[in-house]
mmCIF file of all heavy atoms in Angstrom:
data_model
loop_
_atom_site.group_PDB
_atom_site.id
_atom_site.type_symbol
_atom_site.label_atom_id
_atom_site.label_comp_id
_atom_site.label_asym_id
_atom_site.label_seq_id
_atom_site.Cartn_x
_atom_site.Cartn_y
_atom_site.Cartn_z
ATOM 1 N N ARG K 391 -2.991 10.344 -13.105
ATOM 2 C CA ARG K 391 -2.803 11.749 -12.758
ATOM 3 C C ARG K 391 -1.391 11.909 -12.212
ATOM 4 O O ARG K 391 -0.928 11.084 -11.403
ATOM 5 C CB ARG K 391 -3.843 12.178 -11.729
ATOM 6 C CG ARG K 391 -3.563 13.552 -11.234
ATOM 7 C CD ARG K 391 -4.792 14.343 -10.867
ATOM 8 N NE ARG K 391 -4.357 15.675 -10.478
ATOM 9 C CZ ARG K 391 -4.026 16.015 -9.231
ATOM 10 N NH1 ARG K 391 -4.170 15.138 -8.251
ATOM 11 N NH2 ARG K 391 -3.595 17.221 -8.964
ATOM 12 N N ALA K 392 -0.691 12.942 -12.659
ATOM 13 C CA ALA K 392 0.705 13.126 -12.246
ATOM 14 C C ALA K 392 0.767 13.696 -10.843
ATOM 15 O O ALA K 392 0.902 14.905 -10.640
ATOM 16 C CB ALA K 392 1.414 14.038 -13.237
ATOM 17 N N THR K 393 0.662 12.812 -9.853
ATOM 18 C CA THR K 393 0.755 13.243 -8.459
ATOM 19 C C THR K 393 1.503 12.190 -7.666
ATOM 20 O O THR K 393 1.418 11.005 -7.977
ATOM 21 C CB THR K 393 -0.668 13.472 -7.855
ATOM 22 O OG1 THR K 393 -0.526 13.858 -6.485
ATOM 23 C CG2 THR K 393 -1.519 12.204 -7.904
ATOM 24 N N GLY K 394 2.270 12.609 -6.660
ATOM 25 C CA GLY K 394 2.977 11.690 -5.772
ATOM 26 C C GLY K 394 3.786 10.665 -6.550
ATOM 27 O O GLY K 394 4.489 10.995 -7.507
ATOM 28 N N GLY K 395 3.660 9.408 -6.147
ATOM 29 C CA GLY K 395 4.439 8.343 -6.766
ATOM 30 C C GLY K 395 4.079 8.096 -8.221
ATOM 31 O O GLY K 395 4.875 7.561 -8.989
ATOM 32 N N LEU K 396 2.839 8.477 -8.600
ATOM 33 C CA LEU K 396 2.457 8.304 -10.005
ATOM 34 C C LEU K 396 3.314 9.227 -10.875
ATOM 35 O O LEU K 396 3.751 8.869 -11.956
ATOM 36 C CB LEU K 396 0.975 8.641 -10.185
ATOM 37 C CG LEU K 396 -0.021 7.701 -9.483
ATOM 38 C CD1 LEU K 396 -1.440 8.236 -9.593
ATOM 39 C CD2 LEU K 396 0.052 6.312 -10.088
ATOM 40 N N ARG K 397 3.575 10.419 -10.354
ATOM 41 C CA ARG K 397 4.399 11.382 -11.081
ATOM 42 C C ARG K 397 5.836 10.891 -11.205
ATOM 43 O O ARG K 397 6.522 11.153 -12.185
ATOM 44 C CB ARG K 397 4.340 12.702 -10.310
ATOM 45 C CG ARG K 397 4.994 13.825 -11.033
ATOM 46 C CD ARG K 397 4.833 15.112 -10.240
ATOM 47 N NE ARG K 397 6.131 15.768 -10.213
ATOM 48 C CZ ARG K 397 6.549 16.567 -9.264
ATOM 49 N NH1 ARG K 397 5.787 16.812 -8.231
ATOM 50 N NH2 ARG K 397 7.728 17.121 -9.342
ATOM 51 N N ASP K 398 6.279 10.151 -10.191
ATOM 52 C CA ASP K 398 7.674 9.661 -10.211
ATOM 53 C C ASP K 398 7.870 8.439 -11.093
ATOM 54 O O ASP K 398 9.000 8.089 -11.407
ATOM 55 C CB ASP K 398 8.116 9.318 -8.774
ATOM 56 C CG ASP K 398 8.215 10.548 -7.889
ATOM 57 O OD1 ASP K 398 8.361 11.657 -8.430
ATOM 58 O OD2 ASP K 398 8.129 10.399 -6.646
ATOM 59 N N THR K 399 6.795 7.763 -11.455
ATOM 60 C CA THR K 399 6.964 6.491 -12.177
ATOM 61 C C THR K 399 6.361 6.456 -13.578
ATOM 62 O O THR K 399 6.741 5.614 -14.379
ATOM 63 C CB THR K 399 6.343 5.323 -11.372
ATOM 64 O OG1 THR K 399 5.003 5.676 -11.008
ATOM 65 C CG2 THR K 399 7.127 5.019 -10.110
ATOM 66 N N VAL K 400 5.399 7.333 -13.864
ATOM 67 C CA VAL K 400 4.762 7.311 -15.193
ATOM 68 C C VAL K 400 5.109 8.614 -15.926
ATOM 69 O O VAL K 400 4.917 9.708 -15.374
ATOM 70 C CB VAL K 400 3.235 7.143 -15.093
ATOM 71 C CG1 VAL K 400 2.602 7.086 -16.493
ATOM 72 C CG2 VAL K 400 2.891 5.851 -14.322
ATOM 73 N N HIS K 401 5.606 8.470 -17.145
ATOM 74 C CA HIS K 401 6.041 9.633 -17.900
ATOM 75 C C HIS K 401 5.328 9.659 -19.240
ATOM 76 O O HIS K 401 5.167 8.617 -19.903
ATOM 77 C CB HIS K 401 7.562 9.596 -18.087
ATOM 78 C CG HIS K 401 8.248 9.353 -16.761
ATOM 79 N ND1 HIS K 401 8.317 10.313 -15.778
ATOM 80 C CD2 HIS K 401 8.850 8.241 -16.252
ATOM 81 C CE1 HIS K 401 8.930 9.806 -14.714
ATOM 82 N NE2 HIS K 401 9.246 8.541 -14.976
ATOM 83 N N GLU K 402 4.913 10.850 -19.638
ATOM 84 C CA GLU K 402 4.069 11.017 -20.839
ATOM 85 C C GLU K 402 4.754 10.474 -22.095
ATOM 86 O O GLU K 402 5.937 10.711 -22.334
ATOM 87 C CB GLU K 402 3.723 12.509 -21.001
ATOM 88 C CG GLU K 402 2.870 12.843 -22.196
ATOM 89 C CD GLU K 402 1.396 12.411 -22.059
ATOM 90 O OE1 GLU K 402 0.928 12.166 -20.922
ATOM 91 O OE2 GLU K 402 0.721 12.307 -23.103
ATOM 92 N N TYR K 403 3.975 9.770 -22.858
ATOM 93 C CA TYR K 403 4.430 9.231 -24.142
ATOM 94 C C TYR K 403 4.783 10.374 -25.094
ATOM 95 O O TYR K 403 4.048 11.350 -25.210
ATOM 96 C CB TYR K 403 3.281 8.393 -24.744
ATOM 97 C CG TYR K 403 3.493 7.970 -26.167
ATOM 98 C CD1 TYR K 403 4.466 7.041 -26.507
ATOM 99 C CD2 TYR K 403 2.689 8.510 -27.191
ATOM 100 C CE1 TYR K 403 4.657 6.660 -27.821
ATOM 101 C CE2 TYR K 403 2.866 8.133 -28.506
ATOM 102 C CZ TYR K 403 3.857 7.218 -28.803
ATOM 103 O OH TYR K 403 4.044 6.833 -30.106
ATOM 104 N N ASP K 404 5.915 10.229 -25.752
ATOM 105 C CA ASP K 404 6.335 11.217 -26.739
ATOM 106 C C ASP K 404 6.686 10.460 -28.024
ATOM 107 O O ASP K 404 7.671 9.724 -28.059
ATOM 108 C CB ASP K 404 7.540 12.001 -26.187
ATOM 109 C CG ASP K 404 7.975 13.119 -27.133
ATOM 110 O OD1 ASP K 404 7.823 12.938 -28.366
ATOM 111 O OD2 ASP K 404 8.462 14.147 -26.641
ATOM 112 N N ALA K 405 5.854 10.659 -29.045
ATOM 113 C CA ALA K 405 6.026 9.884 -30.281
ATOM 114 C C ALA K 405 7.330 10.229 -31.000
ATOM 115 O O ALA K 405 8.013 9.360 -31.514
ATOM 116 C CB ALA K 405 4.836 10.117 -31.209
ATOM 117 N N THR K 406 7.667 11.514 -31.015
ATOM 118 C CA THR K 406 8.844 11.900 -31.795
ATOM 119 C C THR K 406 10.123 11.417 -31.142
ATOM 120 O O THR K 406 11.037 10.931 -31.818
ATOM 121 C CB THR K 406 8.910 13.432 -31.991
ATOM 122 O OG1 THR K 406 8.588 14.029 -30.751
ATOM 123 C CG2 THR K 406 7.957 13.886 -33.064
ATOM 124 N N ARG K 407 10.183 11.515 -29.834
ATOM 125 C CA ARG K 407 11.410 11.070 -29.159
ATOM 126 C C ARG K 407 11.382 9.581 -28.801
ATOM 127 O O ARG K 407 12.352 9.073 -28.245
ATOM 128 C CB ARG K 407 11.592 11.849 -27.850
ATOM 129 C CG ARG K 407 11.985 13.262 -28.098
ATOM 130 C CD ARG K 407 12.638 13.831 -26.840
ATOM 131 N NE ARG K 407 12.337 15.242 -26.781
ATOM 132 C CZ ARG K 407 11.954 15.902 -25.703
ATOM 133 N NH1 ARG K 407 11.855 15.265 -24.558
ATOM 134 N NH2 ARG K 407 11.695 17.170 -25.757
ATOM 135 N N GLU K 408 10.251 8.960 -29.080
ATOM 136 C CA GLU K 408 10.089 7.546 -28.683
ATOM 137 C C GLU K 408 10.409 7.385 -27.198
ATOM 138 O O GLU K 408 11.237 6.558 -26.808
ATOM 139 C CB GLU K 408 11.035 6.658 -29.496
ATOM 140 C CG GLU K 408 10.688 6.602 -30.968
ATOM 141 C CD GLU K 408 9.959 5.317 -31.337
ATOM 142 O OE1 GLU K 408 9.866 4.429 -30.487
ATOM 143 O OE2 GLU K 408 9.478 5.232 -32.474
ATOM 144 N N SER K 409 9.791 8.221 -26.384
ATOM 145 C CA SER K 409 10.057 8.117 -24.937
ATOM 146 C C SER K 409 8.733 8.099 -24.183
ATOM 147 O O SER K 409 7.668 8.289 -24.762
ATOM 148 C CB SER K 409 10.926 9.298 -24.492
ATOM 149 O OG SER K 409 10.188 10.491 -24.662
ATOM 150 N N GLY K 410 8.836 7.876 -22.884
ATOM 151 C CA GLY K 410 7.663 7.826 -22.039
ATOM 152 C C GLY K 410 7.132 6.404 -21.916
ATOM 153 O O GLY K 410 7.471 5.519 -22.720
ATOM 154 N N ASN K 411 6.296 6.197 -20.888
ATOM 155 C CA ASN K 411 5.782 4.843 -20.652
ATOM 156 C C ASN K 411 4.264 4.819 -20.420
ATOM 157 O O ASN K 411 3.711 3.782 -20.100
ATOM 158 C CB ASN K 411 6.509 4.180 -19.472
ATOM 159 C CG ASN K 411 6.388 5.019 -18.198
ATOM 160 O OD1 ASN K 411 5.640 5.998 -18.168
ATOM 161 N ND2 ASN K 411 7.120 4.644 -17.169
ATOM 162 N N GLY K 412 3.615 6.003 -20.557
ATOM 163 C CA GLY K 412 2.181 6.029 -20.334
ATOM 164 C C GLY K 412 1.617 7.391 -20.683
ATOM 165 O O GLY K 412 2.224 8.155 -21.450
ATOM 166 N N PHE K 413 0.456 7.713 -20.107
ATOM 167 C CA PHE K 413 -0.189 8.994 -20.382
ATOM 168 C C PHE K 413 -0.540 9.630 -19.044
ATOM 169 O O PHE K 413 -0.981 8.934 -18.121
ATOM 170 C CB PHE K 413 -1.448 8.765 -21.237
ATOM 171 C CG PHE K 413 -1.100 8.211 -22.591
ATOM 172 C CD1 PHE K 413 -0.958 6.841 -22.778
ATOM 173 C CD2 PHE K 413 -0.873 9.053 -23.660
ATOM 174 C CE1 PHE K 413 -0.632 6.313 -24.020
ATOM 175 C CE2 PHE K 413 -0.511 8.548 -24.914
ATOM 176 C CZ PHE K 413 -0.391 7.184 -25.090
ATOM 177 N N THR K 414 -0.327 10.930 -18.960
ATOM 178 C CA THR K 414 -0.521 11.584 -17.665
ATOM 179 C C THR K 414 -1.330 12.878 -17.844
ATOM 180 O O THR K 414 -1.386 13.448 -18.925
ATOM 181 C CB THR K 414 0.847 11.965 -17.031
ATOM 182 O OG1 THR K 414 1.468 12.957 -17.858
ATOM 183 C CG2 THR K 414 1.769 10.773 -16.927
ATOM 184 N N PHE K 415 -1.938 13.294 -16.746
ATOM 185 C CA PHE K 415 -2.578 14.614 -16.735
ATOM 186 C C PHE K 415 -2.334 15.247 -15.372
ATOM 187 O O PHE K 415 -2.150 14.546 -14.370
ATOM 188 C CB PHE K 415 -4.060 14.522 -17.066
ATOM 189 C CG PHE K 415 -4.879 13.699 -16.101
ATOM 190 C CD1 PHE K 415 -5.651 14.301 -15.105
ATOM 191 C CD2 PHE K 415 -4.886 12.300 -16.179
ATOM 192 C CE1 PHE K 415 -6.413 13.553 -14.221
ATOM 193 C CE2 PHE K 415 -5.637 11.542 -15.296
ATOM 194 C CZ PHE K 415 -6.391 12.173 -14.312
ATOM 195 N N LYS K 416 -2.316 16.579 -15.356
ATOM 196 C CA LYS K 416 -1.944 17.277 -14.109
ATOM 197 C C LYS K 416 -3.155 17.777 -13.331
ATOM 198 O O LYS K 416 -3.309 17.498 -12.164
ATOM 199 C CB LYS K 416 -1.051 18.482 -14.443
ATOM 200 C CG LYS K 416 0.360 18.091 -14.822
ATOM 201 C CD LYS K 416 1.320 19.259 -14.579
ATOM 202 C CE LYS K 416 2.739 18.874 -14.970
ATOM 203 N NZ LYS K 416 2.977 18.934 -16.423
ATOM 204 N N GLU K 417 -3.981 18.552 -14.035
ATOM 205 C CA GLU K 417 -5.103 19.171 -13.329
ATOM 206 C C GLU K 417 -6.127 18.104 -12.938
ATOM 207 O O GLU K 417 -6.430 17.206 -13.735
ATOM 208 C CB GLU K 417 -5.741 20.188 -14.285
ATOM 209 C CG GLU K 417 -6.732 21.110 -13.618
ATOM 210 C CD GLU K 417 -7.467 21.907 -14.674
ATOM 211 O OE1 GLU K 417 -6.778 22.627 -15.439
ATOM 212 O OE2 GLU K 417 -8.702 21.778 -14.730
ATOM 213 N N TYR K 418 -6.651 18.240 -11.733
ATOM 214 C CA TYR K 418 -7.630 17.237 -11.273
ATOM 215 C C TYR K 418 -8.996 17.570 -11.873
ATOM 216 O O TYR K 418 -9.807 18.256 -11.247
ATOM 217 C CB TYR K 418 -7.681 17.228 -9.734
ATOM 218 C CG TYR K 418 -8.513 16.096 -9.194
ATOM 219 C CD1 TYR K 418 -7.998 14.815 -9.168
ATOM 220 C CD2 TYR K 418 -9.796 16.306 -8.727
ATOM 221 C CE1 TYR K 418 -8.759 13.751 -8.690
ATOM 222 C CE2 TYR K 418 -10.566 15.257 -8.235
ATOM 223 C CZ TYR K 418 -10.032 13.986 -8.223
ATOM 224 O OH TYR K 418 -10.782 12.945 -7.743
ATOM 225 N N SER K 419 -9.215 17.137 -13.095
ATOM 226 C CA SER K 419 -10.508 17.389 -13.725
ATOM 227 C C SER K 419 -10.876 16.247 -14.668
ATOM 228 O O SER K 419 -9.999 15.584 -15.229
ATOM 229 C CB SER K 419 -10.470 18.708 -14.510
ATOM 230 O OG SER K 419 -9.794 18.517 -15.728
ATOM 231 N N ALA K 420 -12.183 16.038 -14.831
ATOM 232 C CA ALA K 420 -12.657 14.971 -15.693
ATOM 233 C C ALA K 420 -12.209 15.223 -17.127
ATOM 234 O O ALA K 420 -11.856 14.285 -17.869
ATOM 235 C CB ALA K 420 -14.169 14.864 -15.602
#
Side-chain angles (χ1 to χ4, degrees):
R391 173 147 183 270
T393 179
L396 294 173
R397 187 177 134 208
D398 293 337
T399 51
V400 181
H401 310 289
E402 180 73 19
Y403 169 70
D404 184 328
T406 43
R407 288 201 212 136
E408 294 258 352
S409 65
N411 57 8
F413 295 87
T414 66
F415 61 101
K416 285 203 181 80
E417 192 190 301
Y418 188 77
S419 76

